[in-house]
Amino acid sequence: MSLDSVRAFLSEHAPDLMVVEHEVSTATVPEAATAHDCAPGQIAKTLSLRVGDRVMLFVTRGDARLHNRKAREALGGKPRMLGVDEVAQLTGHPVGGVSPFGLAAPLPVYCDVSLKDFDVVIPAAGSPRSSVRVSPHRMAELVGAEWIDVCDIPG
């Protein structure tokens, strides 16, 4: 179970971080922001992408959008979203609960620099009703992420 893999990962690598389970869905950025009573930007959305034959995860703030040119340059090609079945198979997490923690197999993880706008961000924790609160720097460190600048922020 995906939620269990996130718990196991955190237990081993960051025992001070706790998974929060919700009564309501946190599968979308607006749902997660409502559940946490925070700005949508503070939700750390994890995108499952393919660039050529490489699969990767990209974590960005909830209100950001990939900038096509910057993403192509930084990632070495045009990123495409994985399909629902492929996401579950490669990450071990369902869409709406994809987390950079507790992956089924190692995948490269990239974090957009826009996450650094917040002291705490809230990524999913392996299910559409779970999450974890963590500093963006610690999240990136725990998953060995590379920081890149490939998003546009509204406003």
mmCIF file of all heavy atoms in Angstrom, residues 39-83:
data_model
loop_
_atom_site.group_PDB
_atom_site.id
_atom_site.type_symbol
_atom_site.label_atom_id
_atom_site.label_comp_id
_atom_site.label_asym_id
_atom_site.label_seq_id
_atom_site.Cartn_x
_atom_site.Cartn_y
_atom_site.Cartn_z
ATOM 1 N N ALA A 39 -2.723 28.611 1.609
ATOM 2 C CA ALA A 39 -2.741 29.077 0.217
ATOM 3 C C ALA A 39 -2.440 27.912 -0.715
ATOM 4 O O ALA A 39 -1.642 27.025 -0.364
ATOM 5 C CB ALA A 39 -1.705 30.172 0.030
ATOM 6 N N PRO A 40 -3.040 27.871 -1.902
ATOM 7 C CA PRO A 40 -2.755 26.796 -2.858
ATOM 8 C C PRO A 40 -1.268 26.659 -3.178
ATOM 9 O O PRO A 40 -0.775 25.556 -3.401
ATOM 10 C CB PRO A 40 -3.557 27.188 -4.103
ATOM 11 C CG PRO A 40 -4.686 28.012 -3.571
ATOM 12 C CD PRO A 40 -4.099 28.768 -2.397
ATOM 13 N N GLY A 41 -0.532 27.756 -3.179
ATOM 14 C CA GLY A 41 0.888 27.695 -3.475
ATOM 15 C C GLY A 41 1.669 26.852 -2.483
ATOM 16 O O GLY A 41 2.716 26.295 -2.821
ATOM 17 N N GLN A 42 1.186 26.738 -1.264
ATOM 18 C CA GLN A 42 1.897 25.978 -0.227
ATOM 19 C C GLN A 42 1.761 24.471 -0.424
ATOM 20 O O GLN A 42 2.534 23.696 0.139
ATOM 21 C CB GLN A 42 1.389 26.385 1.151
ATOM 22 C CG GLN A 42 2.307 25.978 2.263
ATOM 23 C CD GLN A 42 1.901 26.556 3.603
ATOM 24 O OE1 GLN A 42 0.953 27.333 3.713
ATOM 25 N NE2 GLN A 42 2.608 26.164 4.627
ATOM 26 N N ILE A 43 0.800 24.045 -1.239
ATOM 27 C CA ILE A 43 0.660 22.622 -1.555
ATOM 28 C C ILE A 43 1.767 22.259 -2.549
ATOM 29 O O ILE A 43 1.931 22.909 -3.568
ATOM 30 C CB ILE A 43 -0.735 22.328 -2.158
ATOM 31 C CG1 ILE A 43 -1.839 22.762 -1.195
ATOM 32 C CG2 ILE A 43 -0.847 20.853 -2.539
ATOM 33 C CD1 ILE A 43 -1.765 22.148 0.208
ATOM 34 N N ALA A 44 2.526 21.234 -2.230
ATOM 35 C CA ALA A 44 3.618 20.790 -3.110
ATOM 36 C C ALA A 44 3.071 19.690 -4.011
ATOM 37 O O ALA A 44 2.919 18.549 -3.576
ATOM 38 C CB ALA A 44 4.800 20.288 -2.288
ATOM 39 N N LYS A 45 2.751 20.054 -5.249
ATOM 40 C CA LYS A 45 2.206 19.052 -6.161
ATOM 41 C C LYS A 45 3.358 18.310 -6.825
ATOM 42 O O LYS A 45 4.364 18.902 -7.216
ATOM 43 C CB LYS A 45 1.240 19.652 -7.167
ATOM 44 C CG LYS A 45 1.833 20.630 -8.151
ATOM 45 C CD LYS A 45 0.750 21.188 -9.069
ATOM 46 C CE LYS A 45 1.310 22.273 -9.974
ATOM 47 N NZ LYS A 45 0.266 22.919 -10.765
ATOM 48 N N THR A 46 3.189 16.994 -6.940
ATOM 49 C CA THR A 46 4.208 16.133 -7.533
ATOM 50 C C THR A 46 3.702 15.649 -8.883
ATOM 51 O O THR A 46 2.693 14.943 -8.950
ATOM 52 C CB THR A 46 4.522 14.940 -6.609
ATOM 53 O OG1 THR A 46 4.926 15.441 -5.332
ATOM 54 C CG2 THR A 46 5.631 14.080 -7.188
ATOM 55 N N LEU A 47 4.397 16.042 -9.930
ATOM 56 C CA LEU A 47 4.039 15.655 -11.290
ATOM 57 C C LEU A 47 4.922 14.492 -11.729
ATOM 58 O O LEU A 47 6.132 14.509 -11.506
ATOM 59 C CB LEU A 47 4.236 16.826 -12.238
ATOM 60 C CG LEU A 47 3.518 18.130 -11.884
ATOM 61 C CD1 LEU A 47 3.898 19.233 -12.863
ATOM 62 C CD2 LEU A 47 2.020 17.922 -11.850
ATOM 63 N N SER A 48 4.316 13.514 -12.368
ATOM 64 C CA SER A 48 5.047 12.364 -12.912
ATOM 65 C C SER A 48 5.229 12.617 -14.404
ATOM 66 O O SER A 48 4.257 12.687 -15.146
ATOM 67 C CB SER A 48 4.259 11.078 -12.693
ATOM 68 O OG SER A 48 3.966 10.916 -11.323
ATOM 69 N N LEU A 49 6.489 12.744 -14.820
ATOM 70 C CA LEU A 49 6.793 13.174 -16.180
ATOM 71 C C LEU A 49 7.700 12.190 -16.908
ATOM 72 O O LEU A 49 8.466 11.458 -16.285
ATOM 73 C CB LEU A 49 7.505 14.532 -16.161
ATOM 74 C CG LEU A 49 6.810 15.687 -15.458
ATOM 75 C CD1 LEU A 49 7.732 16.894 -15.398
ATOM 76 C CD2 LEU A 49 5.510 16.039 -16.154
ATOM 77 N N ARG A 50 7.615 12.242 -18.216
ATOM 78 C CA ARG A 50 8.525 11.518 -19.089
ATOM 79 C C ARG A 50 9.151 12.537 -20.040
ATOM 80 O O ARG A 50 8.452 13.361 -20.612
ATOM 81 C CB ARG A 50 7.782 10.450 -19.889
ATOM 82 C CG ARG A 50 8.667 9.685 -20.868
ATOM 83 C CD ARG A 50 7.898 8.644 -21.659
ATOM 84 N NE ARG A 50 7.232 7.663 -20.845
ATOM 85 C CZ ARG A 50 7.829 6.644 -20.217
ATOM 86 N NH1 ARG A 50 9.124 6.493 -20.320
ATOM 87 N NH2 ARG A 50 7.127 5.793 -19.509
ATOM 88 N N VAL A 51 10.466 12.461 -20.161
ATOM 89 C CA VAL A 51 11.200 13.248 -21.149
ATOM 90 C C VAL A 51 11.991 12.238 -21.955
ATOM 91 O O VAL A 51 12.930 11.626 -21.443
ATOM 92 C CB VAL A 51 12.128 14.285 -20.487
ATOM 93 C CG1 VAL A 51 12.946 15.013 -21.546
ATOM 94 C CG2 VAL A 51 11.333 15.283 -19.651
ATOM 95 N N GLY A 52 11.573 12.015 -23.206
ATOM 96 C CA GLY A 52 12.181 10.947 -24.008
ATOM 97 C C GLY A 52 11.896 9.611 -23.344
ATOM 98 O O GLY A 52 10.745 9.285 -23.063
ATOM 99 N N ASP A 53 12.934 8.865 -23.020
ATOM 100 C CA ASP A 53 12.728 7.577 -22.349
ATOM 101 C C ASP A 53 12.991 7.656 -20.846
ATOM 102 O O ASP A 53 13.001 6.652 -20.155
ATOM 103 C CB ASP A 53 13.599 6.490 -22.995
ATOM 104 C CG ASP A 53 15.083 6.785 -22.900
ATOM 105 O OD1 ASP A 53 15.456 7.906 -22.489
ATOM 106 O OD2 ASP A 53 15.871 5.883 -23.233
ATOM 107 N N ARG A 54 13.202 8.874 -20.332
ATOM 108 C CA ARG A 54 13.463 9.066 -18.900
ATOM 109 C C ARG A 54 12.180 9.439 -18.167
ATOM 110 O O ARG A 54 11.428 10.299 -18.599
ATOM 111 C CB ARG A 54 14.492 10.175 -18.669
ATOM 112 C CG ARG A 54 15.851 9.878 -19.254
ATOM 113 C CD ARG A 54 16.830 11.035 -19.048
ATOM 114 N NE ARG A 54 16.328 12.271 -19.633
ATOM 115 C CZ ARG A 54 16.274 13.442 -19.002
ATOM 116 N NH1 ARG A 54 16.699 13.576 -17.767
ATOM 117 N NH2 ARG A 54 15.795 14.507 -19.626
ATOM 118 N N VAL A 55 11.950 8.788 -17.020
ATOM 119 C CA VAL A 55 10.813 9.105 -16.157
ATOM 120 C C VAL A 55 11.362 9.832 -14.939
ATOM 121 O O VAL A 55 12.428 9.479 -14.416
ATOM 122 C CB VAL A 55 10.063 7.826 -15.739
ATOM 123 C CG1 VAL A 55 8.980 8.141 -14.721
ATOM 124 C CG2 VAL A 55 9.462 7.144 -16.956
ATOM 125 N N MET A 56 10.643 10.837 -14.488
ATOM 126 C CA MET A 56 11.082 11.634 -13.346
ATOM 127 C C MET A 56 9.884 12.201 -12.615
ATOM 128 O O MET A 56 8.768 12.223 -13.154
ATOM 129 C CB MET A 56 11.977 12.772 -13.825
ATOM 130 C CG MET A 56 11.254 13.763 -14.719
ATOM 131 S SD MET A 56 12.329 14.832 -15.683
ATOM 132 C CE MET A 56 13.106 13.681 -16.770
ATOM 133 N N LEU A 57 10.128 12.658 -11.405
ATOM 134 C CA LEU A 57 9.122 13.388 -10.652
ATOM 135 C C LEU A 57 9.551 14.841 -10.572
ATOM 136 O O LEU A 57 10.741 15.146 -10.466
ATOM 137 C CB LEU A 57 8.976 12.827 -9.238
ATOM 138 C CG LEU A 57 8.471 11.402 -9.125
ATOM 139 C CD1 LEU A 57 8.312 11.017 -7.664
ATOM 140 C CD2 LEU A 57 7.159 11.215 -9.865
ATOM 141 N N PHE A 58 8.569 15.710 -10.615
ATOM 142 C CA PHE A 58 8.820 17.134 -10.515
ATOM 143 C C PHE A 58 7.871 17.692 -9.465
ATOM 144 O O PHE A 58 6.660 17.529 -9.571
ATOM 145 C CB PHE A 58 8.591 17.803 -11.874
ATOM 146 C CG PHE A 58 8.800 19.275 -11.838
ATOM 147 C CD1 PHE A 58 10.065 19.808 -11.635
ATOM 148 C CD2 PHE A 58 7.733 20.136 -11.974
ATOM 149 C CE1 PHE A 58 10.262 21.175 -11.568
ATOM 150 C CE2 PHE A 58 7.914 21.499 -11.917
ATOM 151 C CZ PHE A 58 9.181 22.016 -11.712
ATOM 152 N N VAL A 59 8.425 18.316 -8.435
ATOM 153 C CA VAL A 59 7.625 18.875 -7.347
ATOM 154 C C VAL A 59 7.661 20.389 -7.453
ATOM 155 O O VAL A 59 8.732 20.996 -7.538
ATOM 156 C CB VAL A 59 8.153 18.429 -5.967
ATOM 157 C CG1 VAL A 59 7.199 18.893 -4.861
ATOM 158 C CG2 VAL A 59 8.342 16.915 -5.910
ATOM 159 N N THR A 60 6.477 20.977 -7.455
ATOM 160 C CA THR A 60 6.378 22.432 -7.536
ATOM 161 C C THR A 60 5.245 22.910 -6.636
ATOM 162 O O THR A 60 4.460 22.113 -6.122
ATOM 163 C CB THR A 60 6.142 22.886 -8.986
ATOM 164 O OG1 THR A 60 6.240 24.320 -9.034
ATOM 165 C CG2 THR A 60 4.808 22.442 -9.524
ATOM 166 N N ARG A 61 5.187 24.191 -6.448
ATOM 167 C CA ARG A 61 4.105 24.755 -5.631
ATOM 168 C C ARG A 61 2.773 24.585 -6.364
ATOM 169 O O ARG A 61 2.744 24.546 -7.606
ATOM 170 C CB ARG A 61 4.384 26.202 -5.254
ATOM 171 C CG ARG A 61 4.728 27.100 -6.398
ATOM 172 C CD ARG A 61 5.162 28.473 -5.952
ATOM 173 N NE ARG A 61 3.995 29.289 -5.625
ATOM 174 C CZ ARG A 61 4.053 30.451 -4.992
ATOM 175 N NH1 ARG A 61 5.191 30.945 -4.615
ATOM 176 N NH2 ARG A 61 2.946 31.124 -4.734
ATOM 177 N N GLY A 62 1.709 24.497 -5.614
ATOM 178 C CA GLY A 62 0.411 24.158 -6.177
ATOM 179 C C GLY A 62 -0.151 25.117 -7.187
ATOM 180 O O GLY A 62 -0.933 24.719 -8.052
ATOM 181 N N ASP A 63 0.229 26.383 -7.118
ATOM 182 C CA ASP A 63 -0.323 27.363 -8.052
ATOM 183 C C ASP A 63 0.598 27.649 -9.236
ATOM 184 O O ASP A 63 0.334 28.542 -10.028
ATOM 185 C CB ASP A 63 -0.671 28.667 -7.324
ATOM 186 C CG ASP A 63 0.526 29.302 -6.631
ATOM 187 O OD1 ASP A 63 1.629 28.700 -6.617
ATOM 188 O OD2 ASP A 63 0.364 30.408 -6.073
ATOM 189 N N ALA A 64 1.662 26.871 -9.379
ATOM 190 C CA ALA A 64 2.621 27.092 -10.473
ATOM 191 C C ALA A 64 2.253 26.271 -11.702
ATOM 192 O O ALA A 64 1.581 25.247 -11.604
ATOM 193 C CB ALA A 64 4.031 26.726 -10.005
ATOM 194 N N ARG A 65 2.738 26.734 -12.840
ATOM 195 C CA ARG A 65 2.570 26.009 -14.103
ATOM 196 C C ARG A 65 3.933 25.853 -14.748
ATOM 197 O O ARG A 65 4.758 26.761 -14.708
ATOM 198 C CB ARG A 65 1.638 26.770 -15.035
ATOM 199 C CG ARG A 65 0.236 26.937 -14.461
ATOM 200 C CD ARG A 65 -0.678 27.565 -15.479
ATOM 201 N NE ARG A 65 -1.001 26.637 -16.532
ATOM 202 C CZ ARG A 65 -2.096 25.881 -16.568
ATOM 203 N NH1 ARG A 65 -2.955 25.963 -15.584
ATOM 204 N NH2 ARG A 65 -2.328 25.072 -17.573
ATOM 205 N N LEU A 66 4.145 24.688 -15.367
ATOM 206 C CA LEU A 66 5.392 24.473 -16.097
ATOM 207 C C LEU A 66 5.513 25.474 -17.232
ATOM 208 O O LEU A 66 4.553 25.700 -17.962
ATOM 209 C CB LEU A 66 5.428 23.069 -16.695
ATOM 210 C CG LEU A 66 5.859 21.924 -15.807
ATOM 211 C CD1 LEU A 66 5.729 20.597 -16.551
ATOM 212 C CD2 LEU A 66 7.270 22.103 -15.306
ATOM 213 N N HIS A 67 6.653 26.077 -17.370
ATOM 214 C CA HIS A 67 6.967 26.960 -18.487
ATOM 215 C C HIS A 67 7.643 26.083 -19.532
ATOM 216 O O HIS A 67 8.729 25.550 -19.294
ATOM 217 C CB HIS A 67 7.889 28.086 -18.022
ATOM 218 C CG HIS A 67 8.176 29.093 -19.079
ATOM 219 N ND1 HIS A 67 9.113 28.876 -20.072
ATOM 220 C CD2 HIS A 67 7.647 30.317 -19.302
ATOM 221 C CE1 HIS A 67 9.157 29.933 -20.851
ATOM 222 N NE2 HIS A 67 8.278 30.819 -20.419
ATOM 223 N N ASN A 68 7.003 25.895 -20.673
ATOM 224 C CA ASN A 68 7.471 24.914 -21.664
ATOM 225 C C ASN A 68 8.930 25.088 -22.075
ATOM 226 O O ASN A 68 9.695 24.129 -22.091
ATOM 227 C CB ASN A 68 6.569 24.927 -22.904
ATOM 228 C CG ASN A 68 5.217 24.328 -22.626
ATOM 229 O OD1 ASN A 68 5.079 23.435 -21.806
ATOM 230 N ND2 ASN A 68 4.197 24.826 -23.304
ATOM 231 N N ARG A 69 9.325 26.293 -22.420
ATOM 232 C CA ARG A 69 10.698 26.502 -22.880
ATOM 233 C C ARG A 69 11.706 26.214 -21.769
ATOM 234 O O ARG A 69 12.696 25.508 -21.968
ATOM 235 C CB ARG A 69 10.886 27.931 -23.400
ATOM 236 C CG ARG A 69 12.304 28.210 -23.927
ATOM 237 C CD ARG A 69 12.541 29.675 -24.284
ATOM 238 N NE ARG A 69 12.151 30.615 -23.248
ATOM 239 C CZ ARG A 69 12.864 30.877 -22.137
ATOM 240 N NH1 ARG A 69 13.992 30.258 -21.892
ATOM 241 N NH2 ARG A 69 12.433 31.772 -21.261
ATOM 242 N N LYS A 70 11.454 26.764 -20.574
ATOM 243 C CA LYS A 70 12.380 26.535 -19.464
ATOM 244 C C LYS A 70 12.449 25.054 -19.107
ATOM 245 O O LYS A 70 13.530 24.531 -18.809
ATOM 246 C CB LYS A 70 11.966 27.354 -18.229
ATOM 247 C CG LYS A 70 12.178 28.845 -18.401
ATOM 248 C CD LYS A 70 12.156 29.605 -17.081
ATOM 249 C CE LYS A 70 10.828 29.776 -16.440
ATOM 250 N NZ LYS A 70 10.845 30.639 -15.238
ATOM 251 N N ALA A 71 11.312 24.367 -19.157
ATOM 252 C CA ALA A 71 11.295 22.930 -18.826
ATOM 253 C C ALA A 71 12.084 22.136 -19.860
ATOM 254 O O ALA A 71 12.870 21.248 -19.500
ATOM 255 C CB ALA A 71 9.858 22.430 -18.738
ATOM 256 N N ARG A 72 11.892 22.432 -21.136
ATOM 257 C CA ARG A 72 12.647 21.727 -22.191
ATOM 258 C C ARG A 72 14.148 21.924 -22.006
ATOM 259 O O ARG A 72 14.932 20.986 -22.126
ATOM 260 C CB ARG A 72 12.223 22.212 -23.580
ATOM 261 C CG ARG A 72 11.002 21.529 -24.129
ATOM 262 C CD ARG A 72 10.808 21.808 -25.623
ATOM 263 N NE ARG A 72 10.913 23.212 -25.991
ATOM 264 C CZ ARG A 72 9.907 24.076 -25.969
ATOM 265 N NH1 ARG A 72 8.711 23.685 -25.585
ATOM 266 N NH2 ARG A 72 10.088 25.328 -26.329
ATOM 267 N N GLU A 73 14.550 23.149 -21.730
ATOM 268 C CA GLU A 73 15.977 23.440 -21.559
ATOM 269 C C GLU A 73 16.556 22.747 -20.332
ATOM 270 O O GLU A 73 17.628 22.153 -20.387
ATOM 271 C CB GLU A 73 16.204 24.949 -21.478
ATOM 272 C CG GLU A 73 15.977 25.666 -22.800
ATOM 273 C CD GLU A 73 16.036 27.178 -22.676
ATOM 274 O OE1 GLU A 73 16.338 27.704 -21.572
ATOM 275 O OE2 GLU A 73 15.770 27.853 -23.691
ATOM 276 N N ALA A 74 15.857 22.799 -19.216
ATOM 277 C CA ALA A 74 16.374 22.230 -17.962
ATOM 278 C C ALA A 74 16.330 20.707 -17.941
ATOM 279 O O ALA A 74 17.208 20.065 -17.359
ATOM 280 C CB ALA A 74 15.588 22.788 -16.776
ATOM 281 N N LEU A 75 15.322 20.129 -18.585
ATOM 282 C CA LEU A 75 15.122 18.678 -18.510
ATOM 283 C C LEU A 75 15.615 17.945 -19.755
ATOM 284 O O LEU A 75 15.560 16.728 -19.813
ATOM 285 C CB LEU A 75 13.648 18.363 -18.260
ATOM 286 C CG LEU A 75 13.073 18.947 -16.957
ATOM 287 C CD1 LEU A 75 11.566 18.728 -16.898
ATOM 288 C CD2 LEU A 75 13.767 18.353 -15.749
ATOM 289 N N GLY A 76 16.057 18.685 -20.756
ATOM 290 C CA GLY A 76 16.630 18.060 -21.938
ATOM 291 C C GLY A 76 15.627 17.548 -22.945
ATOM 292 O O GLY A 76 15.939 16.682 -23.759
ATOM 293 N N GLY A 77 14.430 18.071 -22.911
ATOM 294 C CA GLY A 77 13.396 17.683 -23.861
ATOM 295 C C GLY A 77 12.036 18.094 -23.354
ATOM 296 O O GLY A 77 11.904 18.599 -22.236
ATOM 297 N N LYS A 78 11.031 17.851 -24.181
ATOM 298 C CA LYS A 78 9.672 18.242 -23.808
ATOM 299 C C LYS A 78 9.092 17.250 -22.803
ATOM 300 O O LYS A 78 8.977 16.055 -23.091
ATOM 301 C CB LYS A 78 8.779 18.298 -25.045
ATOM 302 C CG LYS A 78 7.369 18.747 -24.725
ATOM 303 C CD LYS A 78 6.522 18.895 -25.945
ATOM 304 C CE LYS A 78 5.121 19.227 -25.476
ATOM 305 N NZ LYS A 78 4.449 20.162 -26.299
ATOM 306 N N PRO A 79 8.703 17.726 -21.612
ATOM 307 C CA PRO A 79 8.102 16.825 -20.627
ATOM 308 C C PRO A 79 6.655 16.489 -20.992
ATOM 309 O O PRO A 79 5.916 17.348 -21.468
ATOM 310 C CB PRO A 79 8.175 17.604 -19.323
ATOM 311 C CG PRO A 79 8.317 19.027 -19.704
ATOM 312 C CD PRO A 79 8.905 19.065 -21.076
ATOM 313 N N ARG A 80 6.302 15.238 -20.770
ATOM 314 C CA ARG A 80 4.926 14.773 -20.981
ATOM 315 C C ARG A 80 4.465 14.072 -19.716
ATOM 316 O O ARG A 80 5.224 13.332 -19.100
ATOM 317 C CB ARG A 80 4.870 13.806 -22.159
ATOM 318 C CG ARG A 80 5.362 14.433 -23.450
ATOM 319 C CD ARG A 80 4.847 13.669 -24.665
ATOM 320 N NE ARG A 80 5.387 14.179 -25.900
ATOM 321 C CZ ARG A 80 4.974 15.249 -26.535
ATOM 322 N NH1 ARG A 80 3.993 15.962 -26.054
ATOM 323 N NH2 ARG A 80 5.526 15.624 -27.669
ATOM 324 N N MET A 81 3.213 14.302 -19.365
ATOM 325 C CA MET A 81 2.636 13.664 -18.176
ATOM 326 C C MET A 81 2.463 12.170 -18.430
ATOM 327 O O MET A 81 2.092 11.760 -19.531
ATOM 328 C CB MET A 81 1.272 14.282 -17.848
ATOM 329 C CG MET A 81 1.327 15.764 -17.541
ATOM 330 S SD MET A 81 2.121 16.148 -15.997
ATOM 331 C CE MET A 81 0.874 15.626 -14.859
ATOM 332 N N LEU A 82 2.718 11.366 -17.400
ATOM 333 C CA LEU A 82 2.476 9.930 -17.492
ATOM 334 C C LEU A 82 0.985 9.660 -17.378
ATOM 335 O O LEU A 82 0.251 10.433 -16.745
ATOM 336 C CB LEU A 82 3.191 9.197 -16.359
ATOM 337 C CG LEU A 82 4.714 9.291 -16.305
ATOM 338 C CD1 LEU A 82 5.233 8.463 -15.132
ATOM 339 C CD2 LEU A 82 5.342 8.833 -17.596
ATOM 340 N N GLY A 83 0.547 8.538 -17.919
ATOM 341 C CA GLY A 83 -0.841 8.114 -17.771
ATOM 342 C C GLY A 83 -1.087 7.575 -16.368
ATOM 343 O O GLY A 83 -0.154 7.235 -15.641
#
